[in-house]
Amino acid sequence: MQPFTTLSSRPTPFVRDNVDTDLIIPAAYLKTVSREGLGRGCFETVRYDAEGQPRADSVFDQPAYAGSQILVGGDNFGCGSSREHAVWALADLGFRCVIAESFADIFASNCFKNGVLTVRLDRDAVTAIAAEGEAGRAIAVDLDAQTVTTEDGTVHRFEIDPFRKHCLLEGLDEVALTLDRHGDHIAAFEAADRLRRPWLHDAA
Amino acid sequence: MGVAKTLYDKIWDRHRVADLDGDLALIYIDRHLVHEVTSPQAFEKLCLAGRPVRRPDATLAVPDHNVPTTPRTRPIEDPLSARQIDLLRDNARAFGVELYDMTDRRQGIVHIVGPEQGLTQPGLTMVCGDSHTSTHGAFGALAFGIGTSEVEHVLATQTLLLTKSRNMRVTVHGRLGAGVTAKDMALAIIGRIGTAGATGHVIEYTGEAVRALSMEGRMTLCNMSIEAGGRAGLVAPDDTTFAYLKGRPHSPQGEQWDKAVDQWRALVSDPRAVFDRDVAIDAATIEPQVTWGTSPEQVAAIGDRVPDPAGIDDATAREAAERALDYMGLEPGMALSDIAIDHVFIGSCTNARIEDLRAAAEIVRGRRVAASLRHAMVVPGSGLVKAQAEAEGLDRIFRDAGFDWREPGCSMCLGMNPDKVPPGERCASTSNRNFQGRQGPGARTHLVSPAMAAAAAVTGHLTDVRRLTREEAA
Ligand code: SF4
C-alpha cells in the first residue's frame, strides 16, 4: 500500500448526501478482474449524458480541477454496495483523500485498505472546504497532525483510529501484519473453538 | 454477574482473537461466502503472495451476480461475465474451496443459499464481499459485507481487523396488518430513520411483530439493514430459528445438535443491556410501502402522494428530492397508485425465497399480467427454491398469468447479467435498491413487497394489494 502522509491540492466539491457506490461506479464496470482502469466509469452518469457526451454541469473533468486529489462529499458518502471498485475508481481518477460529513462503514474501510484517507468533518467545515475548491484555492491535509488547513490558515482537526493512522503513514500490508503478529493467537482460538463448537470444524 | 451485554456484544466477545490499539480488535470469522464479482482481485493477491486459503472448509463459493437466468445449457454470451465465473471456478479449484457451480441445484444467490444449506447459524460471524450479507443476521449471526481487500484478509487469516460498532435496537410492537409484510416493515423503518440512520451501528430487531415473522421474513428485514446504514442486523434466535435449521445439510446433527441449541439459547441481549440508540415503531401503523425516489429512504405508504420537494426545508435534501423526481419522471402531488409500470421483477436476496413466491402467486392466481406491461419476471433465489416452487405448482400460476419463469441468480436486482430495465422505463421490484441506474442505465425502480409487485403486475400500475384481496373476499 502506498503510504499517506501529507497532501496539498485543490479540492473537488461534490457535496451531495447519500452518494452511493452504484453512482461512484455502475455495475457494468464490476466485470473487471483487475483493480486498474476504473476511472473511466467513475461517476459515469454524473460526467456523461446518455449519448456519452461530457456534461457541462459536471464538476469532474473540468480543467480547473485537473489534478485534484481531494474529493469533498456530503453526509453518508459511499453508502450501498460493498464494491471496493468504488475506491479503485476514485483512486484511478486521482483522488487520495475524501472529506465528508460522514461515510458509510464499508466504504470507509475500503478506502483505508487502499491508502485513501477519509476525513470526517462537520457540515460547516465541509461547506467551507468545498467553497475553497470553488474559489480555486488549495487545502493541505496532514495525516500525522490530523489537520486540514485552508489558505487563510484555518485549521480543521479530524479524528482517526491510531492503528489505521499508523498503517496509512507506513503503507503497511495488513495481511502480512496479521499473520506475523497474530498467527499464534489465531491458531489458539481455532484449537479452543474446535472443542466448543466441533460441528463448525469437522464439517469439511 | 458481569456487565449486561447485548447480543452483538456477546458475539463480538466470543470472537475476539486479539485486542489492538484503539477500538480495534482482531475478530475470528466462522463462515465466508464468496461470489464471482468481488473475489478475483483477492485471489489474485493470495496467488502473488503464495498464501493458501486458511479454512477452505469454512468457505463456500457461488456464482450469482453475473449468471444468466436463461437455461443453463446455453453458453454465457457476455465474455466478461463468463470470464469472472470461469475465474471463480479456477480459484475454487486451486484453493480447495467448495463451489456450487451454475448447473448445481444448490446454486443461487449466495444469501439465499447459505441459510438454505444450514451454513448460517446463530452466534456465528459471517462475511461475504457483498453488503447484503446482513441477511444472515436473521439467525442471530453477526453477518456483514466486506470489501475485496477484506475478502483477501479473511481468505488468508480467517480474521478481520474491526472497530466495534455501536448498539441500536429497533422494536416493532404489535402486529402487522393483513397484506403488510416484512418488506414493508423494513422500508417503513428506513423511511423513519433514513439511509444513514444506523451508520456505525449494528441493529437488533425485537418486538412482537419481529418475533412473529418467519425466518424468511426475518431475512428480508435483516437484508435491508444496510439500506438503513447499519453494519449488520440481528434477530435473536428462538424456536422459529431452530425449527428452520433442524435437518439442513450443514446444521449440526445428533448430539451436536443438542449441544448447539443449548449454546444458541444463550444468544439474547441481557434484560438490562444498554443500547446506544433505541427506536420503536407500532406495527399497526405500517401500510404497504413503495419507494418514489432513488434512495430507499424516499418511501411512502401506497395510499400517499409523491411529495413536493418545495416542502423540504433542508437544502441538500430538497435538491436530492428534486433530482430524484426528475430522474424518476414523477410530478409532485401525484397519487402513488396512479404510477403506471412497465416491468415487474420478483427476485433478489431480499424477496426470492419460497414464501415470497407463494405470497406473489397468491395474488397472481387466476389473474393475468396487465396488457400494458412490457415484461414481468420471476427469478427464484436458488435452484432449490425453484424446484420447491415447481413442486407446489407456483411456476404454472406465474406462467399462466404471463410471467417469465427464470433460472436463479441476482438478475435484474443489479443488471450485471442481460436482465435489465431499459432506460426511462419503470419497474416495480422486490429488490432492495432503487439507486439511479441500479437495474440498468436510466432504469426507474419502485421497491415493493412480493405481493405488491404481483398486484402491480396484474393491474399495470402501483396498487394497494389489499384492494385485490378485498375484491377476492367480496
Ligand atoms: S440479489 Fe441483488 S442485492 Fe442481493 S446479492 Fe444479488 S445483487 Fe446483491
Side-chain angles (χ1 to χ4, degrees):
Chain A
M1 190 169 83
Q2 195 186 346
F4 188 108
T5 50
T6 58
L7 198 63
S8 179
S9 151
R10 178 178 180 174
T12 302
F14 189 67
V15 186
R16 291 187 190 177
D17 291 346
N18 301 322
V19 168
D20 59 71
T21 52
D22 274 77
L23 189 74
I24 300 175
I25 187 84
Y29 291 91
L30 307 190
K31 295 186 183 186
T32 176
V33 297
S34 148
R35 296 171 195 239
E36 317 294 330
L38 282 158
R40 261 175 306 132
C42 192
F43 286 118
E44 184 179 47
T45 55
V46 176
R47 291 161 65 198
Y48 307 103
D49 62 20
E51 278 74 51
Q53 297 304 311
R55 292 170 61 133
D57 61 353
S58 160
V59 66
F60 302 100
D61 308 307
Q62 281 188 27
Y65 292 103
S68 171
Q69 295 180 281
I70 303 169
L71 183 64
V72 189
D75 195 20
N76 199 25
F77 192 91
C79 63
S81 160
S82 62
R83 56 188 73 163
E84 198 160 316
H85 308 69
V87 181
W88 301 333
L90 288 173
D92 203 41
L93 272 196
F95 294 112
R96 292 220 59 213
C97 172
V98 187
I99 299 175
E101 206 183 331
S102 76
F103 295 92
D105 298 330
I106 306 176
F107 177 80
S109 163
N110 286 340
C111 282
F112 159 66
K113 309 279 177 183
N114 289 279
V116 173
L117 176 67
T118 54
V119 172
R120 223 183 130 148
L121 292 173
D122 64 30
R123 189 145 206 138
D124 291 344
V126 167
T127 310
I129 288 167
E132 293 296 301
E134 277 155 19
R137 290 190 286 267
I139 59 166
V141 179
D142 184 332
L143 175 56
D144 194 30
Q146 297 179 218
T147 55
V148 177
T149 310
T150 54
E151 260 183 27
D152 67 358
T154 310
V155 178
H156 304 276
R157 266 195 68 81
F158 62 89
E159 295 302 319
I160 182 168
D161 179 273
F163 177 78
R164 288 193 163 173
K165 176 176 171 178
H166 171 71
C167 287
L168 279 169
L169 286 171
E170 305 289 328
L172 295 175
D173 171 2
E174 214 184 276
V175 175
L177 207 63
T178 300
L179 290 172
D180 276 3
R181 290 193 187 167
H182 302 293
D184 295 345
H185 300 140
I186 300 169
F189 181 95
E190 285 172 340
D193 195 58
R194 191 178 276 279
L195 297 176
R196 194 168 66 87
R197 302 182 300 171
W199 59 91
L200 293 182
H201 296 264
D202 301 338
Chain B
M1 288 289 292
V3 264
K5 288 181 180 178
T6 65
L7 171 55
Y8 170 56
D9 296 339
K10 290 182 184 181
I11 302 176
W12 176 270
D13 287 347
R14 268 291 183 198
H15 289 84
R16 252 172 32 212
V17 171
D19 289 319
L20 285 92
D21 325 351
D23 295 331
L24 279 174
L26 189 68
I27 296 293
Y28 196 79
I29 301 301
D30 294 318
R31 294 251 196 256
H32 188 188
L33 304 171
V34 175
H35 68 76
E36 78 279 19
V37 177
T38 56
S39 68
Q41 295 88 344
F43 280 116
E44 182 194 19
K45 277 211 162 176
L46 281 193
C47 271
L48 289 174
R51 293 184 179 119
V53 170
R54 186 178 180 93
R55 291 265 325 259
D57 65 312
T59 313
L60 174 70
V62 190
D64 57 4
H65 282 63
N66 272 288
V67 300
T69 54
T70 44
R72 291 287 143 88
T73 43
R74 291 188 209 159
I76 301 175
E77 274 172 28
D78 180 342
L80 294 175
S81 292
R83 176 140 170 263
Q84 276 194 337
I85 294 168
D86 285 346
L87 211 51
L88 184 70
R89 204 173 282 138
D90 293 349
N91 284 326
R93 196 179 305 120
F95 287 91
V97 169
E98 187 170 15
L99 170 84
Y100 294 170
D101 212 339
M102 278 176 56
T103 49
D104 191 314
R105 274 164 57 88
R106 298 168 298 178
Q107 181 270 339
I109 306 167
V110 67
H111 309 309
I112 292 196
V113 170
E116 198 168 72
Q117 293 298 318
L119 286 163
T120 306
Q121 297 169 14
L124 301 193
T125 47
M126 293 184 70
V127 296
C128 174
D130 188 285
S131 58
H132 291 100
T133 310
S134 61
T135 311
H136 308 266
F139 293 78
L142 176 60
F144 49 91
I146 56 176
T148 298
S149 296
E150 289 177 312
V151 169
E152 179 201 348
H153 196 276
V154 176
L155 288 171
T157 72
Q158 207 58 35
T159 62
L160 275 178
L161 280 162
L162 296 171
T163 309
K164 193 166 180 212
S165 303
R166 288 188 292 275
N167 282 288
M168 175 165 177
R169 177 167 54 191
V170 174
T171 309
V172 189
H173 295 291
R175 291 247 156 198
L176 290 174
V180 184
T181 66
K183 179 64 161 288
D184 303 302
M185 193 192 279
L187 286 169
I189 292 168
I190 296 161
R192 167 86 163 271
I193 69 174
T195 48
T199 302
H201 292 73
V202 166
I203 307 172
E204 181 174 347
Y205 299 97
T206 63
E208 188 190 351
V210 173
R211 288 262 81 87
L213 292 176
S214 64
M215 288 317 295
E216 276 92 343
R218 294 177 191 184
M219 284 188 250
T220 302
L221 180 62
C222 287
N223 175 273
M224 294 197 69
S225 304
I226 183 75
E227 264 63 62
R231 190 74 169 108
L234 285 168
V235 176
D238 57 15
D239 289 335
T240 305
T241 321
F242 310 146
Y244 177 98
L245 281 173
K246 186 141 184 129
R248 303 228 166 224
H250 287 271
S251 293
Q253 317 284 338
E255 271 171 40
Q256 300 217 334
W257 169 261
D258 299 329
K259 187 172 173 193
V261 172
D262 276 350
Q263 289 184 16
W264 294 345
R265 287 205 191 276
L267 293 168
V268 289
S269 289
D270 294 330
R272 273 191 299 281
V274 180
F275 288 84
D276 302 284
R277 209 177 153 202
D278 235 321
V279 173
I281 293 184
D282 178 1
T285 63
I286 302 176
E287 310 265 330
Q289 304 281 304
V290 46
T291 60
W292 50 264
T294 53
S295 162
E297 70 183 20
Q298 292 170 326
V299 65
I302 179 67
D304 285 354
R305 292 174 178 278
V306 174
D308 188 348
I312 301 174
D313 287 339
D314 179 71
T316 316
R318 185 170 55 242
E319 281 163 26
E322 282 166 356
R323 256 197 316 272
L325 290 190
D326 180 46
Y327 180 83
M328 293 296 289
L330 297 173
E331 294 299 325
M334 90 191 262
L336 289 170
S337 56
D338 283 345
I339 298 174
I341 292 294
D342 307 304
H343 300 260
V344 168
F345 171 61
I346 298 176
S348 89
C349 58
T350 316
N351 281 128
R353 285 168 285 269
I354 188 68
E355 224 175 66
D356 301 312
L357 304 192
R358 286 183 193 136
E362 196 57 41
I363 301 301
V364 169
R365 190 193 305 272
R367 295 190 168 99
R368 297 262 332 146
V369 168
S372 56
L373 245 70
R374 287 177 180 273
H375 190 216
M377 74 196 283
V378 184
V379 180
S382 72
L384 293 176
V385 169
K386 179 167 186 263
Q388 172 74 24
E390 288 174 354
E392 296 179 18
L394 304 185
D395 59 321
R396 271 204 317 283
I397 296 174
F398 287 118
R399 282 193 163 124
D400 289 351
F403 274 89
D404 211 353
W405 177 253
R406 297 294 192 107
E407 296 297 320
C410 292
S411 178
M412 211 180 255
C413 175
L414 91 164
M416 274 193 80
N417 75 350
D419 308 337
K420 290 181 186 59
V421 176
E425 296 190 15
R426 195 179 294 286
C427 182
S429 175
T430 66
S431 53
N432 45 41
R433 287 186 174 142
N434 53 347
F435 297 156
Q436 268 193 37
R438 173 75 178 181
Q439 294 192 289
R444 294 163 168 168
T445 303
H446 296 276
L447 301 177
V448 288
S449 74
M452 287 284 286
V458 298
T459 60
H461 54 88
L462 295 174
T463 300
D464 189 337
V465 62
R466 296 171 299 186
R467 239 193 55 212
L468 299 183
T469 44
R470 268 201 298 275
E471 268 172 26
E472 262 169 12

